Amino acid sequence: MNAGGPARDWVVAVSFPLVMIALGCATPPRPRELDTYEALRKGANIQDASKRAPDLVASSEKLGTRASEEWQSNDLEESRRDALLAQINLKTALALVEQDQLKGRIQSVSTEEGQAQEELAGLSKDLASETEKLTLLQKYLDARKNADAEKQQMTTEQQRLSQQLASEQKIAAAQIALRTADTVEAQRYAKTEYTAANDMLAKAQAELKQGDFAGAQASADVAKKDADHATEISKPLYEQAEQAGQNKARDEALASDASAVPGVTVRIERRGDLQRLVIAIPQLFAKRQPTISSGHESTLDALAALINKYPTYPVQVIGYTDNRGKASELLAVSAARAQSVYQALASRGVEARRMMASGLGGDEPIADNHAASGRAKNNRAEIVFLYH
Amino acid sequence: MRARPRRTLQAVVVAVGLVVSCFAHKAVAGEEDDLQRQIETQRSGVTDLERLDELKATTDEITLLRAWLDEAWSLRSKHEYDQVREVLDRCLKQADLIRAKITASKLRAQLQRHESTLADLRAKISATKKSLQETVTRKRVLEGGGQNSSAPGGVQ
């Protein structure tokens, strides 16, 4: 241990200054600015930069070289400054290159933009044109569709109206048929048919209201048929009843009017089916005379007016006598008397064809022939209205 | 006799020294003012550059420039005029770099706008082409349908 001690001290004494000298002679670390500059120089655009800004790049390289030398010479501060300047120059040159590149790209993109705008304008024009055509076509098709729909609707409506009209006409026809049936009192004389017709008519009206035109027409047809049938059944019965009523009224009127004729007596008789309104004109003739005594003109006028007032009645003019004398003579006188009255009435405007003149002699006396007054009454003429 | 000219020479030397010293002081003062003006001019230029840099593309470079101008000012205060000139020269070059970068950034933005417009246009072209194709197809379909029922006379 002791032997090695001085030797060790000697080594330390010698090596320490050597290390210090070596450290003093060693190259210092590269400045950061120089590294950055070197990194920039290795960039892709350095050749473009040389073309675009040769002065800047040359200056930069010169400064860079100098900075490197200064670093090698341990002039770190100088090296840093020059590296910084070199960096700035190179960056400026690169920025100018970038400017040129950007300008070029802007030019290119602007050209493409212009072309794209032209293309878009063309396409927009085509699209507008096609859209307009499409719109027109669509409008045309819509209009045609609407027209078809309207036409269809109109046809349907027309058919519906036609059906409705036909139904209404048939219902009206049924109503008329029913009113006609009413005129012959079908409700009374053909109750079943009339009720059926009324029911069917009501049904037809209901069906019409519901829009069931076919049903309404069918029901109306049935109603009309039933009404016609009711009319058919009722008409003769009604007419018969009507006629009877009319005849009765007329007969009554005739009887009333006949009673109002002065100088006559009136009676009504029934012989079989026939009714007889007998107007006796007493003391119209003198004894055995066939001619009409004077003073009876007003009676004859009234009788002629009465016969003309009721023109539908057939009229018999019958002459009578009392019972004194031969029957054949009495018949002749009575016939002559009837003829006289016939003539008198005809001369007063009564249609001759309506009258039948006949003489019955002393038959059918109206008073006692034993008395003079009775015989006078029996010498008479009778105007007989015949009816059922 | 010999002492008199010697005193005179001494006096002349002192006088000349005083004059030279005076001129030297004046020259140093003029250089300092000139450097100050240059620094101030460059500082106002930095403000202009900041205003010009609408896209904030050179913020770091401008910060560095400001730092260097401050450094120049500091060196001027220490009368390290050579170093001040070096720094100012670097500042000028840095300002050139900043201007170049600002121009590049504006061009880049312009390019982006153009590219965006172009992309929009291409998208519109694509959409328009599609619409046109659809319209033509639809028209053909309608024409087919129309012709099937009854062809329109004037419409094509």
Side-chain angles (χ1 to χ4, degrees):
Chain A
M1 285 292 285
N2 290 335
R8 195 183 304 147
D9 292 342
W10 181 84
V11 169
V12 169
V14 172
S15 63
F16 180 74
L18 284 174
V19 168
M20 291 308 290
I21 289 165
L23 282 173
C25 294
T27 307
R30 273 169 70 94
R32 190 165 44 84
E33 289 79 1
L34 194 56
D35 285 343
T36 309
Y37 166 72
E38 289 298 336
L40 275 174
R41 278 191 75 236
K42 288 173 189 167
N45 288 334
I46 196 70
Q47 287 188 351
D48 293 335
S50 297
K51 287 178 190 169
R52 173 65 178 82
D55 295 344
L56 281 173
V57 175
S59 165
S60 160
E61 282 181 352
K62 194 176 165 186
L63 286 164
T65 305
R66 199 164 74 192
S68 187
E69 288 168 1
E70 287 161 351
W71 165 59
Q72 296 288 348
S73 310
N74 270 344
D75 292 334
L76 284 180
E77 194 57 35
E78 293 295 322
S79 172
R80 194 173 289 118
R81 274 203 299 269
D82 287 338
L84 204 55
L85 265 178
Q87 225 184 90
I88 291 168
N89 284 343
L90 192 54
K91 278 183 181 174
T92 308
L94 288 171
L96 291 173
V97 170
E98 192 187 359
Q99 282 181 20
D100 288 352
Q101 287 173 344
L102 287 168
K103 281 176 188 171
R105 282 178 66 191
I106 286 169
Q107 182 68 34
S108 168
V109 171
S110 294
T111 306
E112 282 183 50
E113 200 179 314
Q115 288 169 349
Q117 274 173 343
E118 278 179 19
E119 188 182 353
L120 180 61
L123 283 169
S124 298
K125 194 178 170 187
D126 290 348
L127 179 61
S129 170
E130 289 299 321
T131 305
E132 192 181 352
K133 284 179 190 172
L134 180 65
T135 307
L136 283 172
L137 184 61
Q138 188 67 58
K139 274 185 184 173
Y140 166 77
L141 290 174
D142 287 348
R144 201 176 62 193
K145 195 176 168 186
N146 287 340
D148 287 347
E150 279 178 18
K151 192 177 168 185
Q152 181 64 34
Q153 196 178 352
M154 280 177 71
T155 306
T156 309
E157 183 65 16
Q158 202 171 1
Q159 284 173 349
R160 197 187 70 80
L161 285 172
S162 175
Q163 286 287 315
Q164 185 177 354
L165 186 63
S167 303
E168 286 172 352
Q169 283 174 344
K170 290 203 171 188
I171 286 171
Q175 284 173 330
I176 289 169
L178 266 171
R179 294 291 80 74
T180 306
D182 283 341
T183 61
V184 293
E185 293 185 11
Q187 197 171 3
R188 183 177 167 191
Y189 297 113
K191 193 174 179 179
T192 308
E193 289 78 5
Y194 184 85
T195 306
N198 243 338
D199 291 346
M200 288 311 287
L201 178 63
K203 188 183 173 196
Q205 284 170 334
E207 285 166 342
L208 174 65
K209 201 175 277 184
Q210 289 165 2
D212 180 8
F213 301 127
Q217 285 179 36
S219 299
D221 281 343
V222 173
K224 184 176 181 304
K225 195 176 169 186
D226 286 347
D228 286 344
H229 190 211
T231 303
E232 193 180 337
I233 293 169
S234 303
K235 191 173 181 181
L237 296 172
Y238 171 78
E239 283 176 352
Q240 199 175 348
E242 184 68 12
Q243 191 63 41
Q246 281 178 3
N247 289 347
K248 190 180 174 188
R250 194 175 56 193
D251 294 345
E252 285 171 1
L254 173 61
S256 174
D257 288 345
S259 302
V261 174
V264 298
T265 57
V266 178
R267 69 176 188 277
I268 295 172
E269 300 172 346
R270 171 167 287 277
R271 285 189 185 173
D273 289 340
L274 286 175
Q275 290 275 18
R276 289 162 52 92
L277 176 76
V278 181
I279 303 170
I281 314 165
Q283 298 172 354
L284 186 63
F285 303 99
K287 188 178 178 182
R288 308 283 181 208
Q289 292 300 313
T291 54
I292 298 167
S293 304
S294 59
H296 295 282
E297 284 75 14
S298 62
T299 302
L300 289 169
D301 290 343
L303 284 171
L306 183 70
I307 294 167
N308 283 332
K309 188 177 177 181
Y310 298 94
T312 57
Y313 290 82
V315 174
Q316 279 185 317
V317 180
I318 304 171
Y320 289 96
T321 61
D322 56 31
N323 62 352
R324 295 208 173 180
K326 290 181 179 174
S328 58
E329 288 177 358
L330 293 175
L331 276 173
V333 170
S334 65
R337 286 177 173 175
Q339 195 61 39
S340 296
V341 173
Y342 178 94
Q343 292 295 337
L345 292 172
S347 69
R348 283 170 173 80
V350 176
E351 280 184 277
R353 62 186 176 87
R354 285 185 58 202
M355 296 183 289
M356 292 180 297
S358 61
L360 290 178
D363 292 348
E364 301 175 7
I366 58 171
D368 188 3
N369 279 314
H370 292 101
S373 61
R375 286 193 296 275
K377 285 180 181 174
N378 286 332
N379 286 307
R380 66 191 194 276
E382 287 184 352
I383 308 298
V384 180
F385 288 83
L386 299 170
Y387 55 90
H388 288 283
Chain B
M1 285 299 283
R2 282 187 68 180
R4 194 176 175 186
R6 200 172 173 179
R7 279 200 296 272
T8 306
L9 183 62
Q10 283 178 347
V12 168
V13 168
V14 168
V16 167
L18 282 170
V19 168
V20 167
S21 169
C22 182
F23 275 107
H25 183 262
K26 276 191 177 178
V28 168
E31 189 176 9
E32 191 176 336
D33 290 345
D34 182 47
L35 289 172
Q36 183 180 341
R37 269 197 302 278
Q38 282 185 42
I39 291 167
E40 284 169 354
T41 304
Q42 286 213 36
R43 274 181 173 162
S44 69
V46 174
T47 311
D48 291 341
L49 287 174
E50 276 183 323
R51 198 166 51 247
L52 200 65
D53 186 16
E54 295 163 353
L55 303 169
K56 306 293 173 202
T58 58
T59 311
D60 293 344
E61 284 81 358
I62 287 172
T63 305
L64 202 56
L65 178 56
R66 278 194 189 285
W68 288 343
L69 286 170
D70 291 343
E71 184 188 345
W73 184 262
S74 173
L75 289 168
R76 173 201 155 273
S77 304
K78 293 173 186 170
H79 308 294
E80 300 286 354
Y81 301 135
D82 289 341
Q83 287 185 34
V84 171
R85 269 191 289 278
E86 271 181 19
V87 173
L88 282 176
D89 183 47
R90 195 195 312 151
C91 286
L92 280 173
K93 289 183 189 308
Q94 179 76 354
D96 287 343
L97 170 63
I98 289 168
R99 269 190 288 276
K101 279 199 162 187
I102 288 171
T103 306
S105 74
K106 287 186 174 176
L107 285 169
R108 202 178 301 114
Q110 193 180 346
L111 176 64
Q112 280 174 356
R113 282 199 299 274
H114 279 292
E115 281 175 344
S116 174
T117 306
L118 183 61
D120 286 349
L121 280 170
R122 282 182 177 151
K124 280 180 186 170
I125 285 169
S126 178
T128 309
K129 274 183 182 170
K130 193 180 170 190
S131 296
L132 184 60
Q133 185 59 43
E134 285 172 359
T135 306
V136 169
T137 306
R138 200 170 159 213
K139 196 184 81 176
R140 281 182 189 152
V141 169
L142 285 178
E143 280 173 347
Q147 280 165 1
N148 283 342
S149 52
S150 66
V155 181
Q156 292 179 353

